[in-house]
Structures are given as structure tokens and as C-alpha cells.
Amino acid sequence: MTGEAVASNDVVSARVLTVPNAISFVRLLLVPVFAVLIARGQDGWAVGVLAVSGASDWLDGVLARKLGQVSRLGQLLDPAADRLFIIVTLVALAWRDVVPWWLLAVLVLRDVVLAVMLVVLARGGYAPLPVHLAGKAGTFALLYAFPLLLLAQWDSWVGTVAGVVGWAFALWGVALYWFSAVVYLAQARHLLRDTAEPA
């Protein structure tokens, strides 16, 4: 369960064995499954795996709140599964010429920028920032874009429609991803500036 979906009044526990954590772990296991399916050209099954991954990303957050199972491990595991799935999927789709390499580069650059920011914050004694809603929305958009872009390879009206909708989701996902990055950088700058100012 990622911090993006954690309300301020949720109790965060140290539990490991929870239903949401199990779902996130399964999503991690699906990453190599998807990679193998793409490499073998089994696009139908690959689309199914992507669809399951996108649905499970929404489901684990809902269950964590409904069941009162928000955990520290889940706050780390869920976004880690999201990032890994997005990167591996983009590499696979770019390798198949389904998406251009610049799309992968733009998203990786964003994660690199935020990784540097986290290091700077940690050196200043700050924990990772609360995740912005735009970051989660961007992740959702990308996870829904990927199966549609894969379906766009079909030579039919389904492929045409999937391509249009898939690219709409992909571009919105990129925009939201970078918008959230700007928000994080502004928050980090504010914290570090307050620390530098004399009391």
C-alpha cells in the first residue's frame, strides 16, 4: 500500500503478513513473467498480465484502508513494484518498437532526479516526502496505457482505438509524473531552506 493512498488518519503498522502486501508481492513476481511473455511474442498473455498488474495496484490500496492493514512495508513495497513494472514494461515495449526510447528516457530521468532529491533530504535528516496524488494518478495512467499500446499493434479497428487511447493515457501519465516531481522538488527546497535559516 503506497503512501499516495494513505490518509492522514490511517494507522501505519509494522506488520509484514497482510493481504495488501501479498498483492504487491504477487505484482513483483509478475514482472519477470511479463518480460518472458513479451520476449516470446505472446502478446495476448502479456496484455492480461498488464491488466492484472494495473488492477492489483488499485486493489491493494483499497484493501489496506478497508481492512486497516496500512503497513510500513506496504508503503515501500507498493511503489517499488510500480516503478519496477513501469521500467521493465517500457524497456520491453521499446525493444519491440511499440513505444519510442525517448518515453523510457523521460520517465527514468524523473526517477533519477527524485532519487538524488531523496539522498539530499536524507543527509539533511528528513524522511521521504508524502507521496502526491499526482504521482499516483500518473502511475495509474501509465499502467493502463501499456496494455492499450500493446493492443495497438493489432491490425484492426481495435488496434487503432487502443493506440489513440493508449497514447492519451501515456502522455497524461508522463505529464502527471513530472508535475508530481516538480511538487516534490519544491517541498524539498522549502524544507532544506528552513533548515539552513538560523533559528
Side-chain angles (χ1 to χ4, degrees):
M1 166 51 199
T2 179
E4 286 143 288
V6 177
S8 59
N9 59 349
D10 284 330
V11 177
V12 180
S13 73
R15 294 177 61 188
V16 174
L17 299 177
T18 67
V19 173
N21 288 351
I23 293 174
S24 293
F25 183 69
V26 170
R27 192 159 74 255
L28 278 172
L29 294 179
L30 289 176
V31 173
V33 174
F34 170 77
V36 170
L37 290 172
I38 281 290
R40 293 181 176 179
Q42 297 178 332
D43 292 357
W45 286 105
V47 168
V49 169
L50 285 176
V52 169
S53 175
S56 66
D57 183 48
W58 168 81
L59 181 62
D60 66 358
V62 172
L63 290 178
R65 293 191 302 276
K66 294 291 185 181
L67 301 177
Q69 295 184 351
V70 178
S71 67
R72 298 187 189 281
L73 176 62
Q75 290 177 332
L76 297 174
L77 189 61
D78 183 60
D82 289 343
R83 297 296 179 271
L84 183 60
F85 221 115
I86 287 172
I87 296 301
V88 170
T89 302
L90 275 174
V91 169
L93 295 183
W95 176 67
R96 286 275 305 275
D97 291 325
V98 174
V99 300
W101 285 98
W102 65 258
L103 184 62
L104 172 63
V106 165
L107 294 178
V108 169
L109 177 61
R110 182 261 193 189
D111 283 344
V112 170
V113 169
L114 292 188
V116 173
M117 180 199 74
L118 290 175
V119 171
V120 173
L121 285 176
R123 287 182 177 179
Y126 292 101
L129 297 171
V131 185
H132 196 274
L133 178 61
K136 189 62 177 177
T139 299
F140 276 140
L142 291 171
L143 289 177
Y144 285 121
F146 296 150
L148 290 170
L149 292 175
L150 199 51
L151 284 174
Q153 303 306 297
W154 293 9
D155 189 17
S156 68
W157 68 269
V158 174
T160 301
V161 173
V164 173
V165 178
W167 272 110
F169 271 112
L171 294 176
W172 269 109
V174 170
L176 289 168
Y177 238 42
W178 273 99
F179 174 76
S180 64
V182 171
V183 172
Y184 298 143
L185 291 171
Q187 291 175 343
R189 180 175 177 272
H190 180 73
L191 287 174
L192 294 172
R193 183 178 58 189
D194 288 348
T195 301
E197 291 177 355

